[in-house]
Amino acid sequence: MENLKEEVRVRFAPSPTGFVHIGSLRTALFNYLFARHHNGKNVLRIEDTDQTRKVEGAVDNLINNLGLLGIEFDEGPVQGGNYGPYYQSDRLDIYKKYCDELLEKGAAYYAFDTPEELDEMRKLQQLEGRQTMYDRRARDLNKDEIKKNLESGMPFVIRLKVPLDEEIKFDDLIKGTIKIETNIIDDQILLKSDGFPTYHMANVVDDHLMKVTHIIRGEEWVTSVPKHILIYRALGWDVPKMAHVPLILNKDKSKLSKRQGDVAVEDYLRKGYLKEALINFIALLGWNPGEGEEQEFFTMDELIKRFTLEKVQSSGAVFNIDKLNWMNNTYIKNYDLDILTEISIPYFENTGIDISDISKVKKILSAIRVYLNKLDEIPEQLKIFTQDEVRPENDKLNEFLTADTSRKVFHALVNKFESAGGISIDSYKSAISKFNLKPVLKESFYLSL
RNA sequence: GGUCCCAUCGACUAGGGGUUAGGUCGCCACUCUUUCACAGUGAAAACACGGGUUCGAAUCCCGUUGGGACCGCCA
C-alpha cells in the first residue's frame, strides 16, 4: 500500500512532569520494539509546552530509567538528530508559523475569551446537562474587531475552526476504523495565550516535521485524533499511521493510578525487580506472540523479533502484581549469580552481613534467592544468618518447643551429636533420621505418670 | 450526561464457524520436608445476555447490559 522502502520512524513523547509511569514505560517499550523490529528509528521528543507543570530533572530521570531498562533512542535531546530540536519549548517559532498558516487558510481563528468566561460557559452547559465544549462564540468575530483587540494588547488564543456536519474517519492499527462527527469536536485551542502551543498543535507539527510514520501511544488519545486529522488536512499533510494501545488498569479496572499502588518505574526498580523481569512482564501486558505460543519468558531481542502491532490486545489489561512477583522470582532464581550478587549488594547493607566479603554474600544469596520475589526482601531472609537466637514465631510453637518432652528430645539429640563428634552439612540429616525417638519418649511418658 | 473504545477462568491470555475451549499467575488439595518456603503432582475455575446469519456460532452481524477512556489556555 504505502511506500515500503520508507524508513519506519516512531516517537515517544512524554511530558517531563516527574517519574516514569508504568503506562508510559509500556508505550515507550512498544515504540522501541516496533522501531527495532522494522530497523527504524526511535525518537524521543519532550513535550514541555506546559510551563506550569515542568519538573526539574524529570528529563534526565526519564532517560536514565528507560536506559536502565534497555530502551534507547536514536534521536532525541541527548544524541540530537536531523529533525531537532527535540524539546518542544525550543520550537515555538515553528508552531507560530504554522498557526499563522492555519489562520491564513481560514482553518483557525483568534479568540479573546477569558478563562473566567469559559468557566462560566462550562458551568452553564453542565447545569443544562449538555456536553461541555467551546460554543464557538469567537468564530465569527469580524476583522476590525480582531484587529482592534490585537492592537490593544488583549490576550488571545488561536482556535481550530472545526468544519461542521462532517464525519471524520480513520483506521487505527489496533482498534480498526473509528468514526466521529465533527459537530461534537471542540474548536480546540492551538496556541495558548502565553505563546505556547497545546499538545494538539505541537504534536501534529512535530510528527510531520520529524517524519514520524507511526504514532504509537495510549488509548486516552483516541478521541482527540479527529482534531489532529483536521490540522493535518488543513496543512496539506499526510496523516501518520496510528496505533492506540489499550490502558493498563488497576485491580478495579480503572486507569492505573497512584492511589492503588506504585506506578513509577523507579519504585519497582528500587524494590528490586530485575529489569529483564519488568520488561518481560510489561511486554506481555497487552501483547502476546499468539499462534498458540506458550512461551512466557522473552529476552529483549526475542521481543524485538516477535513484536507486531497486530498482536496487541484491543482491551485494557489489569496490572497483576502477583504475576510480576512470580516472574521476577523466576528471573532471580535463574540469574547469573555473580551479576545478581553485584546488584544485590545494596540490599545487604546494614543487615549485619559483611558486604566486603563478596564470596560470603554470594553464598548466602545463592541459598536465599529461591525465596525472593524481589531484592528488597533480602533483609528478612537474612535473619537466620544474623540472629544469635531463633525465636519461635508464635505461642503455639513456643509451647511445643519448651514442653518437657521436647526438651528431653533435644537433649538426647545434642548428646548424640556430641558423641558423634559434632555435625556437618552432610551428616546432620542422616543423623536426625537415624535418631531413635522411642526410648526418650517412653522415659518421658513414664516420668509424667 | 455526550462521544468513542472494549467484553474467553479471579488476573494475563491462546483459539477465531465443527476443540473434552489450551497455557501462565493466583487459589485449593496431595506429595516432599518434623515448621514455613522451595519443588513435584492434581483439581476447581471462563466464551456477559438476547436476537439474527448458518446444517452448525465462543468465533460473523445487530441490539442490550456491563466496564473504561475522553469531554482544560494538561499532556
Side-chain angles (χ1 to χ4, degrees), chain A residues 343-422:
Chain A
I343 51 189
S344 296
I345 294 284
Y347 301 92
F348 279 85
E349 305 251 22
N350 305 318
T351 57
I353 302 289
D354 178 12
I355 55 173
S356 64
D357 186 350
I358 294 295
S359 74
K360 187 179 177 189
V361 171
K362 202 204 278 191
K363 217 176 253 175
I364 292 172
L365 187 60
S366 76
I368 62 171
R369 76 206 288 202
V370 293
Y371 308 112
L372 302 171
N373 282 332
K374 47 200 190 336
L375 265 20
D376 73 352
E377 290 167 9
I378 286 176
E380 65 185 84
Q381 290 297 335
L382 248 31
K383 282 181 188 155
I384 191 76
F385 297 98
T386 54
Q387 284 174 157
D388 291 332
E389 201 180 319
V390 178
R391 288 191 181 283
E393 282 168 18
N394 59 57
D395 294 345
K396 235 180 178 170
L397 191 60
N398 192 42
E399 197 180 309
F400 170 74
L401 288 173
T402 53
D404 277 352
T405 310
S406 303
R407 285 182 188 282
K408 291 207 167 67
V409 170
F410 290 135
H411 278 129
L413 256 180
V414 169
N415 285 339
K416 187 184 163 100
F417 285 146
E418 273 173 358
S419 65

Coordinates of all heavy atoms in Angstrom, one line a residue, chain A residues 343-422:
Chain A
I343 N 24.3 -6.7 42.0 CA 23.1 -5.8 42.1 C 22.4 -6.0 43.5 O 21.6 -5.1 43.8 CB 22.1 -5.9 40.9 CG1 21.7 -7.4 40.7 CG2 22.6 -5.3 39.7 CD1 20.9 -7.5 39.4
S344 N 22.7 -7.0 44.2 CA 22.0 -7.3 45.4 C 22.8 -6.6 46.6 O 22.2 -6.4 47.7 CB 21.9 -8.8 45.7 OG 21.1 -9.4 44.8
I345 N 24.0 -6.3 46.4 CA 24.8 -5.7 47.5 C 24.1 -4.6 48.3 O 24.1 -4.7 49.5 CB 26.2 -5.1 47.0 CG1 27.0 -6.3 46.4 CG2 26.9 -4.4 48.0 CD1 27.7 -7.1 47.5
P346 N 23.5 -3.6 47.6 CA 22.8 -2.6 48.4 C 21.8 -3.1 49.4 O 21.6 -2.5 50.4 CB 22.1 -1.7 47.3 CG 22.9 -2.0 46.1 CD 23.4 -3.4 46.2
Y347 N 21.2 -4.2 49.1 CA 20.1 -4.7 49.9 C 20.7 -5.5 51.1 O 20.0 -5.9 52.1 CB 19.2 -5.7 49.2 CG 18.5 -4.9 48.0 CD1 19.1 -5.0 46.7 CD2 17.4 -4.2 48.2 CE1 18.5 -4.3 45.7 CE2 16.7 -3.6 47.2 CZ 17.3 -3.6 45.9 OH 16.7 -2.9 44.9
F348 N 22.0 -5.7 51.1 CA 22.7 -6.3 52.2 C 23.3 -5.3 53.2 O 23.7 -5.7 54.3 CB 23.9 -7.2 51.7 CG 23.5 -8.5 51.2 CD1 23.1 -8.7 49.9 CD2 23.5 -9.7 52.1 CE1 22.7 -10.0 49.4 CE2 23.2 -10.9 51.6 CZ 22.7 -11.1 50.3
E349 N 23.2 -4.0 52.8 CA 23.7 -3.0 53.7 C 22.9 -3.0 55.1 O 21.7 -3.2 55.1 CB 23.5 -1.6 53.1 CG 24.2 -1.5 51.7 CD 25.4 -0.7 51.7 OE1 26.0 -0.5 52.8 OE2 25.8 -0.2 50.6
N350 N 23.6 -2.8 56.1 CA 23.0 -2.7 57.5 C 22.2 -3.9 57.9 O 21.2 -3.8 58.6 CB 22.1 -1.4 57.5 CG 22.9 -0.2 57.2 OD1 24.0 0.0 57.6 ND2 22.2 0.7 56.4
T351 N 22.6 -5.0 57.4 CA 21.9 -6.2 57.8 C 22.7 -7.1 58.8 O 22.2 -8.1 59.3 CB 21.5 -7.1 56.6 OG1 22.7 -7.5 55.9 CG2 20.5 -6.4 55.7
G352 N 23.9 -6.7 59.0 CA 24.8 -7.4 59.8 C 25.7 -8.4 59.0 O 26.6 -9.0 59.6
I353 N 25.5 -8.4 57.8 CA 26.4 -9.2 56.9 C 27.5 -8.3 56.4 O 27.3 -7.2 56.0 CB 25.6 -9.8 55.7 CG1 24.4 -10.6 56.1 CG2 26.5 -10.6 54.8 CD1 24.7 -11.9 56.8
D354 N 28.7 -8.9 56.4 CA 29.8 -8.1 56.0 C 29.9 -8.1 54.4 O 30.2 -9.1 53.8 CB 31.1 -8.8 56.5 CG 32.4 -8.0 56.0 OD1 32.2 -6.9 55.5 OD2 33.5 -8.6 56.2
I355 N 29.5 -7.0 53.8 CA 29.4 -6.9 52.4 C 30.8 -6.8 51.7 O 30.9 -6.9 50.5 CB 28.5 -5.8 51.9 CG1 29.0 -4.5 52.4 CG2 27.1 -6.1 52.3 CD1 28.2 -3.3 51.8
S356 N 31.8 -6.7 52.5 CA 33.1 -6.7 51.8 C 33.6 -8.1 51.5 O 34.5 -8.3 50.7 CB 34.2 -6.0 52.7 OG 34.3 -6.7 53.9
D357 N 32.9 -9.0 52.2 CA 33.2 -10.4 51.9 C 32.3 -10.9 50.8 O 31.3 -11.6 51.1 CB 33.1 -11.3 53.2 CG 33.5 -12.7 53.0 OD1 33.8 -13.1 51.8 OD2 33.6 -13.4 54.0
I358 N 32.6 -10.6 49.6 CA 31.7 -10.9 48.4 C 31.4 -12.4 48.3 O 30.3 -12.8 48.0 CB 32.4 -10.4 47.1 CG1 32.5 -8.9 47.1 CG2 31.5 -10.9 45.9 CD1 31.2 -8.2 47.1
S359 N 32.4 -13.2 48.6 CA 32.1 -14.7 48.4 C 31.1 -15.2 49.4 O 30.3 -16.1 49.1 CB 33.4 -15.5 48.4 OG 33.9 -15.6 49.7
K360 N 31.1 -14.6 50.5 CA 30.2 -15.0 51.6 C 28.8 -14.5 51.2 O 27.8 -15.2 51.3 CB 30.6 -14.4 52.9 CG 29.7 -14.9 54.0 CD 30.1 -14.3 55.4 CE 29.2 -14.8 56.5 NZ 29.5 -14.1 57.8
V361 N 28.7 -13.2 50.7 CA 27.5 -12.7 50.3 C 26.9 -13.5 49.2 O 25.7 -13.9 49.1 CB 27.6 -11.2 49.7 CG1 26.4 -10.7 49.1 CG2 28.0 -10.3 50.9
K362 N 27.8 -13.9 48.3 CA 27.3 -14.7 47.2 C 26.7 -16.1 47.6 O 25.7 -16.6 47.2 CB 28.5 -15.0 46.2 CG 28.1 -15.4 44.8 CD 29.1 -16.2 44.1 CE 30.2 -15.3 43.5 NZ 31.1 -16.0 42.5
K363 N 27.4 -16.7 48.6 CA 27.0 -18.0 49.1 C 25.6 -17.8 49.8 O 24.7 -18.7 49.6 CB 28.0 -18.4 50.2 CG 28.2 -19.9 50.1 CD 29.3 -20.3 51.1 CE 30.6 -20.7 50.4 NZ 31.7 -21.0 51.4
I364 N 25.5 -16.8 50.6 CA 24.2 -16.6 51.2 C 23.1 -16.3 50.2 O 22.0 -16.9 50.3 CB 24.3 -15.4 52.2 CG1 25.2 -15.7 53.4 CG2 22.9 -15.0 52.7 CD1 25.5 -14.5 54.3
L365 N 23.4 -15.5 49.2 CA 22.4 -15.2 48.2 C 22.0 -16.4 47.4 O 20.8 -16.6 47.1 CB 23.0 -14.1 47.2 CG 22.0 -13.6 46.2 CD1 20.9 -12.8 46.9 CD2 22.8 -12.6 45.3
S366 N 22.9 -17.3 47.2 CA 22.6 -18.5 46.4 C 21.6 -19.4 47.2 O 20.8 -20.1 46.7 CB 23.8 -19.3 46.0 OG 24.3 -20.0 47.1
A367 N 21.7 -19.2 48.6 CA 20.8 -20.0 49.4 C 19.4 -19.4 49.5 O 18.4 -20.1 49.6 CB 21.4 -20.1 50.8
I368 N 19.4 -18.1 49.5 CA 18.1 -17.5 49.8 C 17.3 -17.0 48.5 O 16.2 -16.6 48.5 CB 18.2 -16.2 50.7 CG1 19.1 -15.2 50.1 CG2 18.7 -16.7 52.1 CD1 19.0 -13.9 50.9
R369 N 18.0 -17.0 47.4 CA 17.4 -16.4 46.2 C 16.1 -17.0 45.8 O 15.2 -16.4 45.2 CB 18.4 -16.5 45.0 CG 18.5 -17.8 44.4 CD 19.8 -18.1 43.7 NE 20.0 -17.3 42.4 CZ 20.8 -17.6 41.5 NH1 21.6 -18.7 41.6 NH2 20.9 -16.9 40.4
V370 N 15.9 -18.4 46.1 CA 14.7 -19.0 45.7 C 13.5 -18.4 46.4 O 12.3 -18.6 46.0 CB 14.7 -20.5 45.9 CG1 15.7 -21.2 45.0 CG2 15.0 -20.8 47.3
Y371 N 13.7 -17.8 47.5 CA 12.6 -17.3 48.3 C 12.2 -15.8 48.0 O 11.3 -15.3 48.5 CB 12.9 -17.3 49.8 CG 13.4 -18.7 50.3 CD1 14.7 -18.9 50.7 CD2 12.5 -19.7 50.3 CE1 15.1 -20.1 51.2 CE2 12.9 -21.0 50.8 CZ 14.2 -21.2 51.2 OH 14.6 -22.4 51.6
L372 N 13.1 -15.2 47.1 CA 12.9 -13.8 46.9 C 12.0 -13.4 45.7 O 12.3 -13.8 44.6 CB 14.3 -13.1 46.6 CG 15.4 -13.3 47.7 CD1 16.7 -12.8 47.2 CD2 14.9 -12.5 49.0
N373 N 10.9 -12.7 46.0 CA 10.1 -12.2 44.9 C 10.8 -10.9 44.3 O 10.7 -10.6 43.2 CB 8.7 -11.9 45.4 CG 7.8 -13.1 45.5 OD1 8.1 -14.1 44.8 ND2 6.9 -13.0 46.4
K374 N 11.4 -10.2 45.2 CA 12.1 -9.0 44.8 C 13.3 -8.9 45.8 O 13.3 -9.4 46.9 CB 11.2 -7.8 44.8 CG 10.3 -7.6 45.9 CD 9.2 -6.7 45.5 CE 8.3 -6.2 46.7 NZ 8.2 -6.9 47.9
L375 N 14.3 -8.1 45.3 CA 15.5 -8.0 46.1 C 15.4 -7.3 47.5 O 16.2 -7.6 48.4 CB 16.6 -7.2 45.3 CG 17.6 -8.0 44.4 CD1 17.1 -9.5 44.1 CD2 17.9 -7.3 43.1
D376 N 14.4 -6.5 47.6 CA 14.2 -5.8 48.9 C 13.7 -6.8 50.0 O 13.5 -6.4 51.2 CB 13.4 -4.5 48.8 CG 11.9 -4.8 48.6 OD1 11.5 -6.0 48.4 OD2 11.1 -3.9 48.7
E377 N 13.5 -8.0 49.7 CA 13.1 -9.0 50.7 C 14.3 -9.7 51.3 O 14.2 -10.5 52.1 CB 12.2 -10.1 50.0 CG 10.8 -9.5 49.7 CD 10.0 -10.4 48.8 OE1 10.4 -11.6 48.6 OE2 8.9 -10.0 48.3
I378 N 15.5 -9.3 50.8 CA 16.7 -9.9 51.3 C 16.9 -9.8 52.8 O 17.2 -10.8 53.5 CB 18.0 -9.3 50.5 CG1 18.0 -9.9 49.1 CG2 19.3 -9.6 51.3 CD1 19.1 -9.4 48.2
P379 N 16.8 -8.6 53.3 CA 17.0 -8.4 54.8 C 16.2 -9.4 55.6 O 16.7 -10.0 56.6 CB 16.6 -7.0 55.1 CG 16.8 -6.3 53.8 CD 16.5 -7.3 52.7
E380 N 14.9 -9.6 55.3 CA 14.1 -10.5 56.2 C 14.6 -12.0 56.0 O 14.5 -12.8 56.9 CB 12.6 -10.3 55.9 CG 12.2 -10.7 54.5 CD 10.7 -10.4 54.3 OE1 10.4 -9.2 54.0 OE2 9.9 -11.3 54.5
Q381 N 15.1 -12.3 54.8 CA 15.6 -13.7 54.6 C 16.9 -13.9 55.3 O 17.4 -15.0 55.5 CB 15.7 -14.0 53.1 CG 14.4 -14.1 52.4 CD 13.5 -15.2 52.9 OE1 14.0 -16.2 53.4 NE2 12.2 -15.1 52.8
L382 N 17.6 -12.8 55.7 CA 18.9 -12.8 56.3 C 18.9 -13.1 57.7 O 19.9 -13.5 58.3 CB 19.6 -11.5 56.0 CG 20.8 -11.5 55.1 CD1 20.7 -12.5 53.9 CD2 20.9 -10.1 54.5
K383 N 17.7 -13.0 58.4 CA 17.7 -13.1 59.8 C 18.3 -14.4 60.3 O 19.0 -14.5 61.3 CB 16.2 -13.0 60.2 CG 15.7 -11.6 60.3 CD 14.3 -11.5 60.7 CE 13.7 -10.1 60.5 NZ 12.3 -10.2 60.4
I384 N 18.0 -15.5 59.6 CA 18.5 -16.8 60.0 C 20.0 -16.8 60.1 O 20.6 -17.5 60.9 CB 18.0 -17.9 59.0 CG1 18.3 -19.3 59.6 CG2 18.6 -17.7 57.7 CD1 17.3 -19.7 60.7
F385 N 20.7 -15.9 59.3 CA 22.2 -15.9 59.3 C 22.7 -14.9 60.4 O 23.9 -15.0 60.8 CB 22.7 -15.4 58.0 CG 22.3 -16.4 56.9 CD1 21.3 -16.2 56.1 CD2 23.1 -17.5 56.7 CE1 20.9 -17.0 55.0 CE2 22.8 -18.4 55.7 CZ 21.7 -18.2 54.9
T386 N 21.9 -14.0 60.8 CA 22.4 -12.9 61.7 C 21.9 -13.0 63.1 O 22.6 -12.4 64.0 CB 22.0 -11.5 61.1 OG1 20.6 -11.5 60.9 CG2 22.7 -11.3 59.8
Q387 N 20.8 -13.7 63.4 CA 20.3 -13.8 64.7 C 21.1 -14.7 65.6 O 21.5 -15.8 65.1 CB 18.9 -14.3 64.7 CG 17.9 -13.2 64.3 CD 16.5 -13.9 64.1 OE1 15.5 -13.1 64.2 NE2 16.4 -15.1 63.9
D388 N 21.4 -14.4 66.8 CA 22.1 -15.3 67.7 C 21.1 -16.3 68.2 O 21.5 -17.4 68.6 CB 22.6 -14.5 68.9 CG 23.7 -13.6 68.5 OD1 24.4 -14.0 67.5 OD2 23.9 -12.6 69.1
E389 N 19.9 -16.0 68.3 CA 18.9 -16.8 68.9 C 17.7 -16.9 67.9 O 17.3 -15.9 67.4 CB 18.5 -16.1 70.2 CG 17.8 -17.0 71.2 CD 17.5 -16.2 72.4 OE1 18.3 -15.3 72.8 OE2 16.4 -16.4 72.9
V390 N 17.2 -18.1 67.8 CA 16.0 -18.2 67.0 C 14.8 -18.3 67.8 O 14.7 -19.1 68.8 CB 16.1 -19.5 66.1 CG1 14.8 -19.7 65.3 CG2 17.3 -19.5 65.2
R391 N 13.9 -17.4 67.6 CA 12.7 -17.3 68.4 C 11.5 -18.0 67.6 O 11.3 -17.7 66.5 CB 12.3 -15.9 68.7 CG 13.2 -15.3 69.7 CD 12.7 -13.9 70.2 NE 13.7 -13.4 71.1 CZ 13.8 -13.8 72.4 NH1 13.1 -14.8 72.8 NH2 14.8 -13.3 73.2
P392 N 10.7 -18.7 68.3 CA 9.5 -19.3 67.7 C 8.6 -18.2 67.2 O 8.5 -17.2 67.9 CB 8.8 -20.1 68.8 CG 9.8 -20.2 69.9 CD 10.8 -19.1 69.7
E393 N 7.9 -18.4 66.1 CA 7.2 -17.3 65.5 C 5.8 -17.2 66.2 O 5.2 -16.1 66.1 CB 7.0 -17.6 64.0 CG 8.2 -17.2 63.3 CD 8.2 -17.6 61.8 OE1 7.1 -18.0 61.3 OE2 9.3 -17.7 61.2
N394 N 5.3 -18.2 66.9 CA 4.0 -18.0 67.6 C 4.0 -18.8 68.9 O 4.8 -19.6 69.2 CB 2.9 -18.4 66.6 CG 3.0 -19.8 66.2 OD1 3.0 -20.7 67.0 ND2 3.0 -20.0 64.9
D395 N 3.0 -18.5 69.7 CA 2.9 -19.1 71.0 C 2.8 -20.6 71.0 O 3.4 -21.3 71.8 CB 1.7 -18.5 71.7 CG 1.9 -17.0 72.0 OD1 3.1 -16.5 71.9 OD2 0.9 -16.3 72.3
K396 N 2.0 -21.1 70.1 CA 1.8 -22.5 70.0 C 3.1 -23.2 69.8 O 3.4 -24.2 70.5 CB 0.8 -22.8 68.8 CG -0.4 -23.6 69.3 CD -1.3 -23.9 68.1 CE -2.4 -24.7 68.6 NZ -3.5 -24.8 67.5
L397 N 3.9 -22.7 68.9 CA 5.2 -23.3 68.5 C 6.1 -23.2 69.8 O 6.8 -24.2 70.1 CB 5.8 -22.6 67.3 CG 7.0 -23.3 66.7 CD1 6.6 -24.7 66.2 CD2 7.5 -22.4 65.6
N398 N 6.0 -22.1 70.4 CA 6.8 -21.9 71.6 C 6.5 -22.9 72.7 O 7.4 -23.5 73.3 CB 6.6 -20.4 72.1 CG 7.6 -20.1 73.2 OD1 8.8 -20.4 73.0 ND2 7.1 -19.4 74.2
E399 N 5.2 -23.1 72.9 CA 4.7 -24.0 73.9 C 5.2 -25.4 73.6 O 5.7 -26.1 74.5 CB 3.2 -24.0 73.8 CG 2.5 -24.6 75.0 CD 1.0 -24.6 74.9 OE1 0.5 -23.4 74.5 OE2 0.3 -25.6 75.0
F400 N 5.1 -25.8 72.3 CA 5.6 -27.1 71.9 C 7.1 -27.3 72.1 O 7.5 -28.3 72.7 CB 5.2 -27.3 70.4 CG 5.8 -28.5 69.8 CD1 5.3 -29.8 70.1 CD2 6.9 -28.4 68.9 CE1 5.9 -30.9 69.5 CE2 7.5 -29.5 68.4 CZ 7.0 -30.8 68.7
L401 N 7.8 -26.3 71.7 CA 9.3 -26.4 71.8 C 9.8 -26.4 73.3 O 10.8 -27.0 73.5 CB 9.9 -25.2 71.1 CG 9.8 -25.3 69.5 CD1 10.4 -24.0 68.9 CD2 10.6 -26.5 69.0
T402 N 9.1 -25.8 74.2 CA 9.5 -25.7 75.5 C 8.9 -26.8 76.5 O 9.2 -26.8 77.6 CB 9.2 -24.3 76.1 OG1 7.9 -24.0 76.0 CG2 10.1 -23.2 75.5
A403 N 8.1 -27.6 75.9 CA 7.5 -28.7 76.7 C 8.6 -29.6 77.2 O 9.6 -29.7 76.5 CB 6.5 -29.4 75.8
D404 N 8.3 -30.2 78.3 CA 9.3 -31.1 78.9 C 9.8 -32.2 77.9 O 11.0 -32.5 77.8 CB 8.7 -31.8 80.1 CG 8.9 -30.9 81.3 OD1 9.5 -29.9 81.2 OD2 8.3 -31.2 82.4
T405 N 8.8 -32.8 77.2 CA 9.1 -33.9 76.3 C 10.1 -33.4 75.2 O 11.1 -34.0 74.9 CB 7.8 -34.4 75.6 OG1 6.9 -34.7 76.7 CG2 8.1 -35.6 74.8
S406 N 9.7 -32.2 74.7 CA 10.6 -31.6 73.7 C 12.0 -31.4 74.2 O 13.0 -31.7 73.5 CB 10.0 -30.3 73.2 OG 8.7 -30.5 72.7
R407 N 12.1 -30.9 75.4 CA 13.4 -30.6 76.0 C 14.2 -31.9 76.0 O 15.4 -31.9 75.7 CB 13.3 -30.0 77.4 CG 12.8 -28.6 77.4 CD 12.8 -28.1 78.8 NE 12.2 -26.7 78.9 CZ 12.9 -25.6 78.6 NH1 14.1 -25.7 78.2 NH2 12.3 -24.5 78.6
K408 N 13.6 -32.9 76.4 CA 14.3 -34.2 76.5 C 14.8 -34.7 75.2 O 15.9 -35.2 75.1 CB 13.4 -35.3 77.2 CG 13.1 -35.0 78.6 CD 12.8 -36.2 79.4 CE 12.8 -36.0 80.9 NZ 11.7 -35.1 81.3
V409 N 13.9 -34.6 74.2 CA 14.3 -35.0 72.9 C 15.5 -34.2 72.4 O 16.5 -34.7 71.9 CB 13.1 -34.8 71.9 CG1 13.6 -35.0 70.4 CG2 12.0 -35.8 72.2
F410 N 15.4 -32.9 72.6 CA 16.6 -32.0 72.2 C 17.9 -32.4 72.9 O 18.9 -32.5 72.3 CB 16.2 -30.6 72.4 CG 15.2 -30.0 71.4 CD1 14.1 -29.3 71.9 CD2 15.2 -30.4 70.1 CE1 13.1 -28.8 71.1 CE2 14.2 -30.0 69.2 CZ 13.2 -29.1 69.7
H411 N 17.7 -32.6 74.2 CA 18.9 -33.0 74.9 C 19.5 -34.3 74.4 O 20.7 -34.4 74.2 CB 18.6 -33.1 76.4 CG 18.6 -31.8 77.1 ND1 17.6 -31.4 77.9 CD2 19.5 -30.8 77.1 CE1 17.8 -30.2 78.4 NE2 19.0 -29.8 77.9
A412 N 18.7 -35.2 74.2 CA 19.1 -36.5 73.6 C 19.8 -36.3 72.3 O 20.9 -36.9 72.0 CB 18.0 -37.5 73.5
L413 N 19.3 -35.4 71.5 CA 19.9 -35.2 70.2 C 21.2 -34.5 70.3 O 22.2 -34.9 69.7 CB 19.0 -34.2 69.4 CG 18.1 -34.8 68.3 CD1 17.3 -33.7 67.7 CD2 19.0 -35.5 67.3
V414 N 21.3 -33.6 71.2 CA 22.6 -32.9 71.4 C 23.6 -33.9 71.9 O 24.8 -33.9 71.4 CB 22.4 -31.7 72.5 CG1 23.8 -31.2 72.9 CG2 21.6 -30.6 71.9
N415 N 23.2 -34.7 72.8 CA 24.2 -35.8 73.3 C 24.7 -36.6 72.1 O 25.9 -36.9 72.0 CB 23.5 -36.7 74.3 CG 23.4 -35.9 75.6 OD1 24.1 -34.9 75.9 ND2 22.4 -36.4 76.5
K416 N 23.7 -37.0 71.3 CA 24.1 -37.8 70.2 C 25.1 -37.1 69.3 O 26.1 -37.7 68.8 CB 22.8 -38.2 69.4 CG 23.2 -39.3 68.3 CD 22.0 -39.6 67.5 CE 22.4 -40.3 66.2 NZ 22.3 -41.7 66.2
F417 N 24.8 -35.9 69.0 CA 25.7 -35.1 68.1 C 27.1 -35.0 68.7 O 28.1 -35.2 68.0 CB 25.1 -33.8 67.8 CG 24.0 -33.8 66.8 CD1 22.9 -32.8 66.9 CD2 23.9 -34.7 65.8 CE1 21.9 -32.8 66.1 CE2 22.8 -34.7 64.9 CZ 21.8 -33.8 65.0
E418 N 27.1 -34.7 70.0 CA 28.4 -34.6 70.7 C 29.2 -35.8 70.6 O 30.4 -35.8 70.3 CB 28.1 -34.1 72.1 CG 28.0 -32.6 72.2 CD 27.6 -32.1 73.5 OE1 27.4 -32.9 74.4 OE2 27.5 -30.8 73.7
S419 N 28.5 -36.9 70.9 CA 29.2 -38.2 70.9 C 29.7 -38.6 69.5 O 30.6 -39.3 69.3 CB 28.4 -39.3 71.5 OG 27.3 -39.5 70.7
A420 N 29.0 -38.0 68.5 CA 29.4 -38.3 67.1 C 30.5 -37.4 66.7 O 30.9 -37.4 65.5 CB 28.2 -38.3 66.2
G421 N 30.9 -36.5 67.6 CA 32.0 -35.5 67.2 C 31.5 -34.3 66.4 O 32.2 -33.8 65.5
G422 N 30.2 -33.9 66.7 CA 29.7 -32.7 66.0 C 28.9 -33.0 64.8 O 28.9 -34.2 64.4

